[in-house]
Amino acid sequence: MKLLNGGIHIFTQHPDLAMRAFYREAEQYRKDEEAHREGMEFLASLDDAFTERCQKEIESFRKSHPHLIVIQYPEAVSCFVERFFLSPDYMAASLSGRRKAPVLVSVVGHMTDLPGDEEQVFQMFWGFEKKCVAQIRLFARGAEITCKSSGMEQFREKLGHLVPPDSILYRLEGKAPLDCLSALEKELGIFLGRTDLAEFIRYCELLKEHLYASFYQAEPISEVAGP
Protein backbone atom coordinates (compact mmCIF):
# COMPACT_ATOMS: atom_id res chain seq x y z
CA MET A 1 0.00 0.00 0.00
CA LYS A 2 1.22 3.50 -0.80
CA LEU A 3 0.83 5.69 2.29
CA LEU A 4 -0.46 9.15 1.41
CA ASN A 5 -1.07 10.49 4.92
CA GLY A 6 -0.22 8.58 8.08
CA GLY A 7 -1.14 10.41 11.26
CA ILE A 8 -1.05 10.02 15.04
CA HIS A 9 -3.70 12.14 16.74
CA ILE A 10 -3.77 12.75 20.50
CA PHE A 11 -6.96 14.21 22.02
CA THR A 12 -6.11 16.20 25.12
CA GLN A 13 -7.02 19.26 27.14
CA HIS A 14 -3.29 20.02 27.34
CA PRO A 15 -2.05 20.08 23.74
CA ASP A 16 1.02 22.11 24.76
CA LEU A 17 2.30 19.12 26.75
CA ALA A 18 1.86 16.82 23.77
CA MET A 19 3.71 19.31 21.57
CA ARG A 20 6.61 19.35 24.03
CA ALA A 21 6.74 15.56 23.95
CA PHE A 22 7.08 15.56 20.16
CA TYR A 23 9.74 18.27 20.41
CA ARG A 24 11.69 16.15 22.88
CA GLU A 25 11.43 13.24 20.45
CA ALA A 26 12.83 15.38 17.62
CA GLU A 27 15.60 16.60 19.91
CA GLN A 28 16.50 13.03 20.81
CA TYR A 29 16.75 12.19 17.09
CA ARG A 30 19.15 15.14 16.69
CA LYS A 31 21.31 14.05 19.63
CA ASP A 32 21.38 10.48 18.35
CA GLU A 33 22.48 11.73 14.93
CA GLU A 34 25.24 13.86 16.48
CA ALA A 35 26.55 10.88 18.44
CA HIS A 36 26.33 8.70 15.33
CA ARG A 37 28.12 11.33 13.25
CA GLU A 38 30.90 11.70 15.83
CA GLY A 39 31.45 7.96 15.78
CA MET A 40 31.55 7.86 12.00
CA GLU A 41 33.92 10.84 11.81
CA PHE A 42 36.25 9.14 14.28
CA LEU A 43 36.39 6.07 12.03
CA ALA A 44 37.02 8.26 9.00
CA SER A 45 39.90 9.97 10.83
CA LEU A 46 41.55 6.58 11.26
CA ASP A 47 41.30 5.60 7.62
CA ASP A 48 40.14 7.62 4.59
CA ALA A 49 38.59 4.43 3.25
CA PHE A 50 35.82 4.86 5.83
CA THR A 51 34.78 8.34 4.57
CA GLU A 52 32.24 7.22 1.95
CA ARG A 53 30.87 4.50 4.17
CA CYS A 54 30.43 6.97 7.03
CA GLN A 55 28.49 9.38 4.82
CA LYS A 56 26.18 6.57 3.75
CA GLU A 57 25.67 5.56 7.38
CA ILE A 58 24.63 9.10 8.33
CA GLU A 59 22.25 9.33 5.35
CA SER A 60 20.77 5.97 6.34
CA PHE A 61 20.26 7.23 9.90
CA ARG A 62 18.26 10.23 8.67
CA LYS A 63 16.10 8.06 6.42
CA SER A 64 15.26 5.86 9.40
CA HIS A 65 14.08 8.94 11.34
CA PRO A 66 11.65 10.69 8.97
CA HIS A 67 10.72 14.34 9.34
CA LEU A 68 7.68 14.94 11.56
CA ILE A 69 4.88 17.39 10.79
CA VAL A 70 3.26 18.26 14.12
CA ILE A 71 0.04 20.32 14.27
CA GLN A 72 -1.49 21.71 17.45
CA TYR A 73 -5.23 22.34 17.75
CA PRO A 74 -7.12 23.70 20.79
CA GLU A 75 -7.86 20.17 22.06
CA ALA A 76 -5.67 17.85 20.01
CA VAL A 77 -2.22 17.37 18.52
CA SER A 78 -1.53 15.55 15.26
CA CYS A 79 1.79 14.17 14.07
CA PHE A 80 2.21 13.10 10.45
CA VAL A 81 5.01 10.83 9.30
CA GLU A 82 6.19 9.58 5.92
CA ARG A 83 5.94 5.96 7.01
CA PHE A 84 5.19 3.86 10.07
CA PHE A 85 7.83 1.56 11.54
CA LEU A 86 5.39 -0.15 13.93
CA SER A 87 1.90 -1.52 13.41
CA PRO A 88 -0.83 1.16 13.74
CA ASP A 89 -2.83 -0.81 16.31
CA TYR A 90 0.25 -1.21 18.52
CA MET A 91 1.04 2.51 18.24
CA ALA A 92 -2.53 3.48 19.18
CA ALA A 93 -2.44 1.27 22.27
CA SER A 94 1.09 2.21 23.33
CA LEU A 95 0.74 5.97 22.85
CA SER A 96 -2.61 6.10 24.66
CA GLY A 97 -0.80 4.73 27.69
CA ARG A 98 2.25 6.98 27.39
CA ARG A 99 0.23 10.15 26.76
CA LYS A 100 -2.64 9.14 29.08
CA ALA A 101 -5.15 10.30 26.47
CA PRO A 102 -7.27 8.91 23.63
CA VAL A 103 -5.22 8.31 20.47
CA LEU A 104 -6.24 7.81 16.86
CA VAL A 105 -3.78 6.42 14.34
CA SER A 106 -5.10 7.11 10.84
CA VAL A 107 -3.90 5.63 7.58
CA VAL A 108 -4.89 7.13 4.23
CA GLY A 109 -3.50 5.53 1.10
CA HIS A 110 -4.18 3.46 -1.95
CA MET A 111 -3.31 0.05 -3.32
CA THR A 112 -2.86 -0.76 -6.98
CA ASP A 113 -2.66 -4.28 -8.40
CA LEU A 114 -2.92 -3.31 -12.04
CA PRO A 115 -2.67 0.02 -13.91
CA GLY A 116 -5.95 1.87 -13.58
CA ASP A 117 -7.16 -0.52 -10.86
CA GLU A 118 -6.72 1.63 -7.75
CA GLU A 119 -8.20 0.93 -4.35
CA GLN A 120 -8.77 3.77 -1.87
CA VAL A 121 -7.96 2.94 1.73
CA PHE A 122 -8.85 4.70 4.99
CA GLN A 123 -8.03 2.92 8.25
CA MET A 124 -8.50 4.01 11.86
CA PHE A 125 -7.05 2.53 15.03
CA TRP A 126 -8.37 3.98 18.28
CA GLY A 127 -6.29 3.61 21.44
CA PHE A 128 -7.33 4.18 25.04
CA GLU A 129 -5.76 3.12 28.35
CA LYS A 130 -2.99 1.08 26.67
CA LYS A 131 -5.39 -0.86 24.46
CA CYS A 132 -6.49 -0.60 20.84
CA VAL A 133 -10.21 -0.49 21.57
CA ALA A 134 -11.52 -0.19 18.00
CA GLN A 135 -10.36 -0.71 14.42
CA ILE A 136 -12.09 0.47 11.26
CA ARG A 137 -11.01 -0.28 7.70
CA LEU A 138 -12.67 1.16 4.60
CA PHE A 139 -11.77 0.11 1.06
CA ALA A 140 -13.20 1.29 -2.26
CA ARG A 141 -12.36 -0.09 -5.68
CA GLY A 142 -14.54 1.55 -8.29
CA ALA A 143 -18.15 1.23 -7.10
CA GLU A 144 -17.31 -1.63 -4.75
CA ILE A 145 -17.02 -0.50 -1.11
CA THR A 146 -15.93 -2.71 1.79
CA CYS A 147 -16.13 -1.84 5.48
CA LYS A 148 -14.54 -3.89 8.25
CA SER A 149 -14.78 -2.81 11.87
CA SER A 150 -14.35 -4.21 15.36
CA GLY A 151 -14.70 -2.83 18.87
CA MET A 152 -17.32 -0.21 18.06
CA GLU A 153 -19.25 -0.89 21.26
CA GLN A 154 -16.05 -0.26 23.24
CA PHE A 155 -15.47 2.87 21.21
CA ARG A 156 -18.97 4.17 21.95
CA GLU A 157 -18.53 3.45 25.66
CA LYS A 158 -15.00 4.80 26.15
CA LEU A 159 -14.47 7.34 23.37
CA GLY A 160 -17.95 8.21 22.16
CA HIS A 161 -17.63 11.69 23.69
CA LEU A 162 -15.13 12.60 20.94
CA VAL A 163 -17.78 12.45 18.19
CA PRO A 164 -21.47 13.41 17.84
CA PRO A 165 -24.13 10.81 18.76
CA ASP A 166 -24.95 10.39 15.05
CA SER A 167 -21.29 10.23 14.01
CA ILE A 168 -20.31 8.93 10.60
CA LEU A 169 -18.44 6.21 12.48
CA TYR A 170 -21.77 4.60 13.38
CA ARG A 171 -23.04 4.81 9.77
CA LEU A 172 -20.17 3.43 7.72
CA GLU A 173 -21.93 0.90 5.51
CA GLY A 174 -21.81 2.01 1.88
CA LYS A 175 -19.67 5.07 2.65
CA ALA A 176 -16.63 5.62 0.42
CA PRO A 177 -13.34 6.09 2.33
CA LEU A 178 -12.83 9.69 1.24
CA ASP A 179 -16.44 10.64 2.07
CA CYS A 180 -16.05 9.19 5.55
CA LEU A 181 -12.69 10.89 5.89
CA SER A 182 -14.09 14.31 5.03
CA ALA A 183 -17.05 13.93 7.43
CA LEU A 184 -14.86 12.69 10.28
CA GLU A 185 -12.46 15.61 9.89
CA LYS A 186 -15.34 18.00 10.56
CA GLU A 187 -16.57 15.95 13.53
CA LEU A 188 -13.15 15.76 15.17
CA GLY A 189 -11.98 19.18 14.03
CA ILE A 190 -8.61 17.88 12.83
CA PHE A 191 -6.95 17.18 9.49
CA LEU A 192 -6.79 13.47 8.66
CA GLY A 193 -5.73 13.54 5.02
CA ARG A 194 -8.62 14.51 2.78
CA THR A 195 -6.21 16.70 0.78
CA ASP A 196 -2.46 16.89 0.41
CA LEU A 197 -0.75 17.59 3.75
CA ALA A 198 1.54 20.23 2.22
CA GLU A 199 -1.54 22.06 0.97
CA PHE A 200 -3.21 21.99 4.38
CA ILE A 201 -0.25 23.35 6.35
CA ARG A 202 -0.19 26.40 4.08
CA TYR A 203 -3.16 27.56 6.18
CA CYS A 204 -1.46 26.80 9.51
CA GLU A 205 0.84 29.02 11.56
CA LEU A 206 4.45 27.80 11.68
CA LEU A 207 5.60 27.81 15.32
CA LYS A 208 9.04 26.23 15.12
CA GLU A 209 11.36 24.48 12.67
CA HIS A 210 13.61 21.66 13.77
CA LEU A 211 16.02 19.43 11.87
CA TYR A 212 13.67 16.50 12.41
CA ALA A 213 10.29 18.22 12.75
CA SER A 214 8.11 21.21 11.80
CA PHE A 215 5.63 22.48 14.39
CA TYR A 216 2.40 24.24 13.42
CA GLN A 217 -0.72 25.65 15.05
CA ALA A 218 -4.17 25.39 13.46
CA GLU A 219 -7.77 26.21 14.19
CA PRO A 220 -10.34 23.37 14.20
CA ILE A 221 -10.72 22.04 10.67
CA SER A 222 -14.19 23.51 10.12
CA GLU A 223 -12.76 26.97 10.79
CA VAL A 224 -9.73 26.72 8.51
CA ALA A 225 -9.96 28.60 5.25
CA GLY A 226 -8.91 26.86 2.09
CA PRO A 227 -9.84 23.62 0.30
Side-chain angles (χ1 to χ4, degrees):
M1 183 179 77
K2 181 179 180 181
L3 181 66
L4 300 181
N5 283 308
I8 300 165
H9 315 278
I10 301 170
F11 299 90
T12 172
Q13 298 293 318
H14 306 285
D16 54 321
L17 297 182
M19 287 285 277
R20 289 177 202 167
F22 282 119
Y23 185 81
R24 288 195 299 270
E25 186 173 338
E27 265 296 282
Q28 189 59 54
Y29 288 166
R30 183 188 63 77
K31 292 177 181 178
D32 290 346
E33 181 187 332
E34 285 184 358
H36 193 66
R37 183 186 296 276
E38 288 175 2
M40 292 297 101
E41 289 176 349
F42 174 72
L43 286 177
S45 70
L46 298 177
D47 190 334
D48 290 341
F50 282 109
T51 301
E52 183 178 351
R53 175 186 169 186
C54 292
Q55 186 59 41
K56 288 182 179 179
E57 286 283 343
I58 293 171
E59 291 175 0
S60 177
F61 181 91
R62 284 199 174 181
K63 288 180 180 178
S64 67
H65 296 76
H67 195 79
L68 308 178
I69 300 294
V70 186
I71 305 172
Q72 178 178 339
Y73 301 91
E75 296 185 352
V77 171
S78 296
C79 176
F80 289 90
V81 295
E82 297 170 359
R83 58 189 180 277
F84 291 139
F85 292 97
L86 299 171
S87 65
D89 56 336
Y90 173 81
M91 288 192 296
S94 176
L95 285 171
S96 69
R98 287 167 52 193
R99 301 291 181 249
K100 295 180 172 55
V103 171
L104 165 63
V105 177
S106 62
V107 178
V108 181
H110 64 244
M111 294 186 287
T112 304
D113 298 327
L114 298 170
D117 187 26
E118 182 176 287
E119 183 173 48
Q120 296 176 1
V121 180
F122 177 34
Q123 302 181 60
M124 293 163 273
F125 303 84
W126 292 90
F128 186 65
E129 295 181 338
K130 301 182 182 180
K131 296 179 181 178
C132 183
V133 298
Q135 301 183 28
I136 302 169
R137 295 177 172 87
L138 292 169
F139 307 90
R141 189 186 297 269
E144 181 182 350
I145 298 174
T146 304
C147 173
K148 300 178 181 179
S149 63
S150 62
M152 291 309 295
E153 285 304 316
Q154 286 191 80
F155 174 86
R156 191 187 292 268
E157 176 187 346
K158 299 179 181 297
L159 301 177
H161 61 281
L162 296 175
V163 297
D166 62 344
S167 170
I168 188 70
L169 293 180
Y170 307 133
R171 301 177 285 109
L172 292 173
E173 289 300 326
K175 298 291 193 303
L178 295 185
D179 291 341
C180 177
L181 179 61
S182 181
L184 190 58
E185 284 187 337
K186 294 176 182 177
E187 291 183 2
L188 296 173
I190 62 174
F191 176 81
L192 295 173
R194 80 192 192 286
T195 59
D196 182 67
L197 176 60
E199 178 67 17
F200 176 74
I201 60 177
R202 286 177 52 204
Y203 300 93
C204 302
E205 178 187 354
L206 178 64
L207 299 177
K208 187 185 293 286
E209 278 284 13
H210 187 281
L211 179 63
Y212 280 101
S214 298
F215 297 87
Y216 295 87
Q217 185 168 0
E219 294 301 318
I221 196 77
S222 60
E223 301 174 22
V224 176

